[in-house]
Amino acid sequence: MWTFELTELPVTEFGLAFGLVLLGSSLQVATGVGLGLIAGPSLLLFLDSAAAIQTAIILNLVLTACLLPTELRDVAGRPLAHMCLWACIGIPVGTVLLLMADSTSLKIASGLVVLLAVVQLRFFPAPQAVGPGSHSWVVRVGGTVSGGMTGALAVPGPIALWTLLSSGLNPAAVRATLRAYFFIAYTVALLIHLLMTQRGEGSFSLSLVLLPAVAIGIGLGQAGRNAIGSDRLRLLLEVVLVIMGISLLSRGLLDAV
């Protein structure tokens, strides 16, 4: 089978990965959610676990770095610091779990996480704010679990979003703080992955050839948000996530049989 010479992936698999990263980047820009839930889980269909998650971390880090500067003024410093502190506990734990798990288990776990994220986006978009004392525990648990999911699946978003929404921050502050949290969490996760797995070279090569998909996705996301509207794009995101979640879950279950 013909392969794309820079990635060792068959051309068809590389094309599908490129398309999914482009779609995820577009939806991330247009709706605030997308690449984190699409890149890592989808790459697990083509690559071994460490390479897939490392590549997803790098791509998400680049996208976040491109989008964050326009939102820095709205970042809520204290919630961000608390989230990052607890995430630094969860990320190494998640990385260890990634290294211990086989590809079948990761596909099943990724499928479940993606489908649960769809349920959250559709039915539980904004939890009620909790009091200051209670929220400290929400941040501790949310930061740790989100960090673990970053290290294991490169998916910090659902838990981190839920945690910040429960803090009572306004939407602009939630979006900006979440973006800043992503940047820090993905940076820490990448460093820990490189230290623990020693597999950076292949991931950086694949990330390099997938970066044009991120760049194109940023432009398409901005254009799509203006032309189509964020509500319709959010519906598209939910459809894509349902299809991907079912695909991952069924692939994992078939592998387990």
Side-chain angles (χ1 to χ4, degrees), residues 21-192:
V21 170
L22 189 154
L23 179 61
S25 301
S26 302
L27 293 171
Q28 180 79 41
V29 172
T31 69
V33 184
L35 187 58
L37 286 167
I38 290 176
S42 65
L43 289 173
L44 283 172
L45 296 171
F46 315 123
L47 302 169
D48 68 73
S49 56
I53 301 306
Q54 280 183 18
T55 301
I57 288 172
I58 295 168
L59 295 174
N60 277 285
L61 181 58
V62 171
L63 178 63
T64 301
C66 292
L67 299 177
L68 179 59
T70 62
E71 300 174 333
L72 279 174
R73 65 183 180 277
D74 295 318
V75 172
R78 185 165 182 157
L80 173 63
H82 289 169
M83 285 276 290
C84 291
L85 174 64
W86 290 97
C88 286
I89 297 173
I91 290 171
V93 175
T95 305
V96 171
L97 291 175
L98 169 67
L99 298 177
M100 292 174 58
D102 56 37
S103 60
T104 298
S105 299
L106 281 171
K107 288 173 186 173
I108 294 173
S110 295
L112 290 173
V113 166
V114 170
L115 291 175
L116 287 173
V118 177
V119 173
Q120 176 185 330
L121 291 170
R122 169 55 54 178
F123 299 106
F124 306 100
Q128 292 183 346
V130 297
S134 301
H135 191 252
S136 64
W137 286 102
V138 173
V139 171
R140 292 172 191 174
V141 175
T144 304
V145 175
S146 174
M149 291 178 64
T150 306
L153 299 172
V155 182
I159 300 298
L161 176 61
W162 188 266
T163 303
L164 289 173
L165 284 172
S166 69
S167 68
L169 294 173
N170 64 65
V174 168
R175 183 170 56 251
T177 306
L178 189 65
R179 192 92 66 195
Y181 170 73
F182 286 172
F183 181 78
I184 295 171
Y186 282 128
T187 299
V188 173
L190 179 59
L191 293 174
I192 291 175

Side-chain angles (χ1 to χ4, degrees), residues 1-5 7-17:
M1 182 180 294
W2 291 99
T3 61
F4 189 76
E5 63 180 16
T7 69
E8 298 183 359
L9 283 178
V11 172
T12 52
E13 291 187 1
F14 173 77
L16 184 55

